[in-house]
Amino acid sequence: MTDNSPRKINIKEYSLEEVKQVLQKWQEPLYHARQIFSWVYKKGARDFAALSDLPQPLRDKLEGHFTFFDLRVAERLESKDGTVKLLLAAADGNSMEAVSIPTAKRTAGCVSTQAGCKFACGFCASGLRGFKRDLTTGEILDQVFLLKDNSPGRVLTHLVFMGTGEPFDNYDNVMKAIRMINAPEGINIGARRITISTCGIIPGIQRLAGEGLQIELSVSLHAADDQVRSRIMPVNRKYPLPALLEACRAYAKNTGRQVTFEYILIRGLNSDLRCARKLCTIVKGMNAKINLIPANAVGECGFEAPSREEIWSFRDFLAQHGVHVTLRRERGTDIQAACGQLRIKYER
Ligand code: SAH
């Protein structure tokens, strides 16, 4: 017998307005929409049976049309430093990673936007097995919920889109998820505490500038000239550095927001003072910050971090030349926290 019933949809795919539209179609009172939202987003319900102030027939209808979660936790790893990494499995066999990273004052959640990645950056594990598919809005929000549930004693204060995949290659689903993360009736994390990280998709940067959202933009730069950047980031051939920098300049100017450039320091490739000097030149005058990341060694890639001395002299050079620079602390290295490492192990 074939099942002709339509596929159930994750309840988190729907905005408050969309839930109201469903209730209207079912000829149910619209005020139930707020009750449903409150159970899902505020009161910690994890299935429809928990929605105890809704009439049973409505709960049954919800159950028949919606899922509560589309992802399940396949593996949970906790680092000595409190970093929690989840390997999450979708019903179709795809998997993705989400991480929560606590520090003294905040806990940042890091979520994936795609299963696999098309962009094949040379230093990153995410693209090693190619691209599988975009994640849905519901799957992106599931990750936030599962991180909350699996980081006991912690409140997620920040959220970064720095897991597997390219957010601007799945623009609509990511943006809808961000609106739910930001909405007071949703997860309610302030826009300035949400960061999108891109490998440099110029049309995405331009589109984001028009959203009227105060979210943070990070751009994975990793090199200060086209030659080195194209070597490690094939996307640079499509969106070369001068055009990318121009788009970032326009973004900063039009939104009044600072852009963060991520710069992985890779031994023997982009970490000498000649590169530091070039980097100073290309960001000059821009409302920008540079975040240095010592490369996490990804076995199959053959890239590693420079020595501590080289890292610090690179940092100091930038600071001495008036560039706003930070150095990312390594977290969760004992639980394979570099992009895509856990998923690679799982899918092998
Ligand atoms: N596609 C987006 C988001 C995913 S990558 C982007 O490119 O920004 C998130 C961040 O992790 C990027 O800055 C990426 O360059 C960095 N990253 C990937 N592999 C890494 C490694 N081996 N060591 C350190 N950082 C890495």
Side-chain angles (χ1 to χ4, degrees):
M1 207 172 74
T2 51
D3 179 8
N4 289 323
S5 59
R7 196 181 66 85
K8 287 192 197 181
I9 296 169
N10 191 320
I11 186 73
K12 299 185 221 71
E13 293 273 332
Y14 280 40
S15 65
L16 187 61
E17 209 36 56
E18 288 166 331
V19 172
K20 281 186 187 161
Q21 285 165 15
V22 172
L23 291 173
Q24 188 149 34
K25 212 170 77 195
W26 292 349
Q27 297 183 319
E28 296 276 0
L30 300 191
Y31 68 84
H32 288 321
R34 281 212 175 267
Q35 286 175 299
I36 295 167
F37 253 67
S38 167
W39 279 109
V40 173
Y41 288 100
K42 310 291 179 200
K43 296 201 267 184
R46 290 294 177 261
D47 56 45
F48 293 108
L51 278 53
S52 56
D53 55 2
L54 294 186
Q56 187 63 47
L58 178 55
R59 272 188 260 167
D60 292 342
K61 252 193 245 176
L62 289 169
E63 184 81 58
H65 281 77
F66 295 106
T67 58
F68 220 99
F69 278 107
D70 289 339
L71 301 179
R72 67 175 178 84
V73 179
E75 197 172 332
R76 178 187 185 280
L77 296 174
E78 184 162 353
S79 162
K80 290 195 288 286
D81 65 20
T83 302
V84 172
K85 178 149 186 157
L86 301 178
L87 178 72
L88 304 171
D92 66 359
N94 278 304
S95 59
M96 69 225 62
E97 298 172 356
V99 187
S100 76
I101 308 154
T103 52
K105 290 202 196 108
R106 49 182 263 184
T107 297
C110 172
V111 294
S112 297
T113 55
Q114 298 179 313
C117 186
K118 293 174 192 168
F119 293 88
C121 297
F123 45 81
C124 180
S126 297
L128 284 176
R129 301 281 184 277
F131 174 74
K132 299 289 164 46
R133 67 168 171 82
D134 286 335
L135 300 188
T136 63
T137 298
E139 286 170 330
I140 294 169
L141 292 166
D142 276 0
Q143 294 177 65
V144 183
F145 275 65
L146 292 169
L147 281 177
K148 278 185 173 193
D149 291 354
N150 284 280
S151 312
R154 297 278 176 179
V155 176
L156 285 189
T157 55
H158 292 70
L159 208 67
V160 300
F161 287 82
M162 289 192 184
T164 302
E166 169 51 43
F168 288 156
D169 191 46
N170 185 14
Y171 192 95
D172 293 330
N173 291 349
V174 168
M175 213 44 72
K176 188 165 188 195
I178 285 180
R179 294 202 182 273
M180 299 292 276
I181 290 163
N182 183 220
E185 72 275 15
I187 298 175
N188 197 18
I189 294 180
R192 290 176 180 223
R193 296 174 164 204
I194 302 171
T195 302
I196 280 202
S197 181
T198 178
C199 62
I201 311 290
I202 293 175
I205 296 171
Q206 291 165 338
R207 224 175 134 186
L208 183 67
E211 295 283 349
L213 278 167
Q214 294 282 303
I215 62 177
E216 303 286 329
L217 175 66
S218 258
V219 176
S220 295
L221 202 62
H222 307 330
D225 66 55
D226 272 326
Q227 203 199 350
V228 177
R229 194 162 193 270
S230 291
R231 238 177 94 191
I232 52 175
M233 299 181 74
V235 69
N236 192 63
R237 291 177 206 137
K238 183 153 187 202
Y239 300 115
L241 204 48
L244 174 60
L245 292 167
E246 195 40 52
C248 294
R249 223 176 271 281
Y251 180 90
K253 191 159 163 271
N254 296 337
T255 61
R257 314 276 309 146
Q258 184 182 63
V259 175
T260 298
F261 289 116
E262 307 287 340
Y263 192 100
I264 300 181
L265 289 165
I266 302 169
R267 184 187 290 259
L269 187 86
N270 65 358
S271 58
D272 61 23
L273 292 186
R274 212 173 36 88
C275 296
R277 186 178 298 280
K278 271 193 201 164
L279 192 52
C280 287
T281 313
I282 64 173
V283 300
K284 204 170 172 186
M286 209 189 292
N287 182 14
K289 180 180 98 176
I290 295 188
N291 187 30
L292 298 175
I293 313 163
N296 266 312
V298 175
E300 303 172 47
C301 303
F303 290 109
E304 55 179 4
S307 67
R308 213 161 267 279
E309 293 70 40
E310 198 172 1
I311 292 170
W312 279 97
S313 55
F314 197 97
R315 194 217 76 97
D316 291 347
F317 186 93
L318 295 185
Q320 281 153 11
H321 287 78
V323 175
H324 183 181
V325 58
T326 53
L327 180 59
R328 188 188 288 178
R329 268 202 300 151
E330 288 174 58
R331 302 295 304 270
T333 40
D334 55 334
I335 56 165
Q336 296 138 322
C339 298
Q341 288 186 343
L342 181 62
R343 180 171 156 267
I344 293 297
K345 193 185 97 187
Y346 180 76
E347 291 189 350
R348 213 187 298 259

